[in-house]
């Protein structure tokens, strides 16, 4: 579905809902934190609108060190930093109940970065605590960081591993529920597997996810920071699984794809599966969020002998935020992506030569400060940090082993100003 179709669909749906509701609204108003609302009997409409403007100033370096890269003659590169600004998100969110107290709906559209996309569009039944269903486009129940709303993030962006691997939103159906005291919760989802705003299935594969978690009595409020200052300790911990089995590797325009060589080579349509251990703690002034994930990407690497094989990846991340006083939050993050298997890179011009064999690790660290204004409806975030990759390389030239390190980093400031109504 193209952006124009999404835009017209979203506008038409929103206009229809608003006009029909206003026509018989028995109660309407503005909540300080949740936006505008309309209520008439069992029909409710709640809305919120928010805009996030982002600016960053990043310096990028790619360095080649060691005997291997000296022999090859690789040259280090430095990209001068510059300010880059964008409207990161411009969200319109609508939801409520649809004429029955047990039938809930949500419609969320984003108009940031010069485009218009439909994010959430689903209906959900809330029949009883243990038996509920969801149909439409929604977030796959995997990766605790992607399940937090984008308006509540501790940092300007999600962790590196979340952006790179997590399945995100997709079209499908889910069964979910919880114990009566919300101490035990679960969700099982079957989705298209092609990502958001894709009607047809481009392959025979489906995205299947399951999530099981234990929480404090009364349930865990899924927010990334303790900005609402919970009066009692909240916690959640659990296990999640996801699998998307689909088609072949995707390459450049002539369909060629050499993993590790072709920069346009993508694994987005390969079989991938993962298991996640996650947890979070919320105090009155602080919050900690963590994920540990083990990924397997089908045919995701070449072995030194030139065969395709599965690629194992370990991804973990920890965020911590602390309110030093009302409205001021300090934050810290550290995360790592470790490629568990060696990667073999063959020269595309001379593929018969021995490969460069590398062990790869990606790393991210950040520190930040967040300032909340106007009853938390205005938020300024600034963080400084670095993310990058490191390849430990080795080349066997007839028994003469050359070694080196290929390292790339992006370091600098990021800032975001968010306004919620």
């Amino acid at each position: 579905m193209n952006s124009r179709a999404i835009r017209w669909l979203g506008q038409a749906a929103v206009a229809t809902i608003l006009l029909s509701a206003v026509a018989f609204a028995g109660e309407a108003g503005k909540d300080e934190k949740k936006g505008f609302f309309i209520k008439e009997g069992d029909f409710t409409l709640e809305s919120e609108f928010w805009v996030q403007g982002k600016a960053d100033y990043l310096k990028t370096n790619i360095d080649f060190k060691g005997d291997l890269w000296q022999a090859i003659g690789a040259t280090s590169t430095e990209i001068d930093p510059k300010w880059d600004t964008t409207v990161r998100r411009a969200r319109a969110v609508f939801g409520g109940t649809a004429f029955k107290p047990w039938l809930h709906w949500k419609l969320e559209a984003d108009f940031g970065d010069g485009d218009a996309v439909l994010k959430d569009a689903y209906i959900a039944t809330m029949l009883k605590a243990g038996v509920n269903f969801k149909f439409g486009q929604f977030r796959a129940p995997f990766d605790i960081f992607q399940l937090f709303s984008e308006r509540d993030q501790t940092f300007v962006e999600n962790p590196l591993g979340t952006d790179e691997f997590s399945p995100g939103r997709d079209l499908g159906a889910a069964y979910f529920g919880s114990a009566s005291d919300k101490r035990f919760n679960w969700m099982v989802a079957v989705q298209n597997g092609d990502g958001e705003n894709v009607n047809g299935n481009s392959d025979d594969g489906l995205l299947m996810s399951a999530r099981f978690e234990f929480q404090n009595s009364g349930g865990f409020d899924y927010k990334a920071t303790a900005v609402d200052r919970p009066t009692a300790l909240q916690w959640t911990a659990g296990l999640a699984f996801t699998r998307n089995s689909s088609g072949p590797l995707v390459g450049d325009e002539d369909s060629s794809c050499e993993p590790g060589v072709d920069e346009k080579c993508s694994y987005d349509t390969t079989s991938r599966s993962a298991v996640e251990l996650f947890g979070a703690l919320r105090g009155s002034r602080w919050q900690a969020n963590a994920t540990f994930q083990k990924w397997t990407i089908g045919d995701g690497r070449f072995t030194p002998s030139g065969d395709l094989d599965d690629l194992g990846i370990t991804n973990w991340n920890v965020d911590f935020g602390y309110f030093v006083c009302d409205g001021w939050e300090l934050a810290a993050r550290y995360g790592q992506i470790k490629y568990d298997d060696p990667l073999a890179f063959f020269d595309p011009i001379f593929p018969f030569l021995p490969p460069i064999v590398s062990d790869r690790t990606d790393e991210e660290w950040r520190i930040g400060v967040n300032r909340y204004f106007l009853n938390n409806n205005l938020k300024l975030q600034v963080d400084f940090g670095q993310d990058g990759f490191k390849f430990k390389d080795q080349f066997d030239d007839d028994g003469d082993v050359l070694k080196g390190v290929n390292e790339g980093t992006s370091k600098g400031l990021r800032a975001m100003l968010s306004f919620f109504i």
Side-chain angles (χ1 to χ4, degrees):
M1 185 181 295
N2 62 39
S3 61
R4 179 173 296 180
I6 295 167
R7 184 184 298 111
W8 282 107
L9 175 63
Q11 291 175 346
V14 170
T16 301
I17 293 168
L18 287 175
L19 290 175
S20 61
V22 170
F24 58 82
E27 182 181 355
K30 172 72 169 66
D31 185 275
E32 284 186 348
K33 296 181 179 180
K34 296 184 178 180
F36 299 94
F37 70 90
I38 295 172
K39 181 178 181 180
E40 170 61 31
D42 289 330
F43 179 91
T44 62
L45 184 151
E46 298 176 355
S47 67
E48 62 179 73
F49 306 91
W50 37 285
V51 177
Q52 294 179 321
K54 177 186 172 184
D56 56 45
Y57 188 77
L58 304 175
K59 179 180 180 180
T60 301
N61 291 289
I62 300 177
D63 295 320
F64 298 91
K65 305 173 183 177
D67 295 339
L68 169 62
W69 296 111
Q70 289 179 6
I72 293 177
T75 304
S76 297
T77 302
E78 179 178 313
I79 300 175
D80 292 333
K82 64 177 182 179
W83 282 106
D84 185 29
T85 59
T86 184
V87 178
R88 181 66 176 87
R89 299 179 184 92
R91 292 285 173 91
V93 186
F94 302 90
T97 57
F99 307 109
K100 296 292 184 180
W102 50 265
L103 185 60
H104 292 239
W105 62 276
K106 184 178 181 181
L107 180 66
E108 180 172 339
D110 185 68
F111 304 91
D113 287 333
D115 202 357
V117 294
L118 196 61
K119 306 301 286 186
D120 287 323
Y122 63 80
I123 58 172
T125 64
M126 306 296 286
L127 301 172
K128 56 182 180 179
V131 181
N132 298 291
F133 300 93
K134 182 182 290 189
F135 304 93
Q137 180 168 287
F138 52 89
R139 302 171 195 256
F142 187 87
D143 193 321
I144 189 170
F145 287 95
Q146 79 141 357
L147 296 180
F148 293 132
S149 170
E150 289 89 346
R151 66 169 289 174
D152 295 322
Q153 292 175 180
T154 312
F155 287 87
V156 171
E157 297 290 352
N158 270 324
L160 197 63
T162 297
D163 286 342
E164 186 165 348
F165 298 115
S166 293
R169 292 171 167 91
D170 217 319
L171 187 67
Y175 162 66
F176 65 100
S178 65
S180 58
D181 61 0
K182 297 186 178 181
R183 284 186 177 272
F184 179 55
N185 303 270
W186 63 88
M187 176 179 282
V188 178
V190 178
Q191 294 170 281
N192 189 323
D194 284 355
E196 61 187 40
N197 300 309
V198 179
N199 289 330
N201 194 345
S202 65
D203 49 64
D204 294 330
L206 293 172
L207 171 65
M208 296 176 287
S209 306
R211 183 178 187 84
F212 306 92
E213 57 189 314
F214 293 92
Q215 299 180 353
N216 55 281
S217 180
F220 177 84
D221 294 330
Y222 256 88
K223 298 179 180 180
T225 81
V227 63
D228 56 345
R229 304 290 294 274
T231 56
L233 181 68
Q234 296 185 1
W235 57 270
T236 186
L239 176 71
F241 171 81
T242 187
R243 176 175 174 79
N244 186 7
S245 60
S246 37
L249 296 172
V250 175
D252 55 24
E253 293 180 357
D254 64 2
S255 299
S256 67
C257 182
E258 298 178 78
V261 175
D262 186 349
E263 291 183 356
K264 296 182 180 180
C265 185
S266 168
Y267 298 114
D268 287 346
T269 58
T270 62
S271 170
R272 54 170 64 197
S273 59
V275 63
E276 175 193 25
L277 294 172
F278 63 89
L281 285 169
R282 307 186 76 226
S284 62
R285 285 186 173 272
W286 59 274
Q287 179 156 341
N289 311 305
T291 182
F292 177 86
Q293 302 170 9
K294 294 287 289 186
W295 285 86
T296 300
I297 300 179
D299 288 343
R301 69 183 182 108
F302 276 122
T303 66
S305 60
D307 299 321
L308 276 174
D309 199 359
D310 293 347
L311 173 64
I313 295 174
T314 300
N315 169 45
W316 63 273
N317 191 88
V318 176
D319 278 13
F320 180 79
Y322 180 77
F323 281 86
V324 293
C325 59
D326 289 344
W328 287 94
E329 180 185 29
L330 300 181
R333 164 184 291 172
Y334 183 79
Q336 188 180 89
I337 302 170
K338 173 64 177 175
Y339 289 68
D340 302 331
D341 305 294
L343 307 174
F345 299 96
F346 291 85
D347 190 322
I349 301 177
F350 304 104
F352 53 84
L353 291 177
I356 294 175
V357 179
S358 299
D359 290 321
R360 175 175 177 175
T361 301
D362 295 3
E363 187 179 54
E364 179 183 22
W365 63 265
R366 299 200 178 275
I367 55 174
V369 58
N370 303 322
R371 178 69 169 104
Y372 297 80
F373 306 88
L374 302 178
N375 204 20
N376 300 333
N377 288 317
L378 182 65
K379 178 180 180 182
L380 175 64
Q381 296 176 273
V382 179
D383 67 54
F384 174 81
Q386 174 180 294
D387 59 74
F389 60 83
K390 177 182 287 187
F391 289 86
K392 295 182 179 179
D393 309 303
Q394 182 171 302
F395 180 79
D396 189 349
D397 184 14
D398 292 331
D400 184 13
V401 178
L402 300 177
K403 295 184 179 181
V405 175
N406 176 9
E407 186 173 8
T409 59
S410 179
K411 178 190 294 186
L413 284 169
R414 305 185 308 193
M416 181 177 287
L417 183 64
S418 304
F419 180 59
F420 313 108
I421 57 173

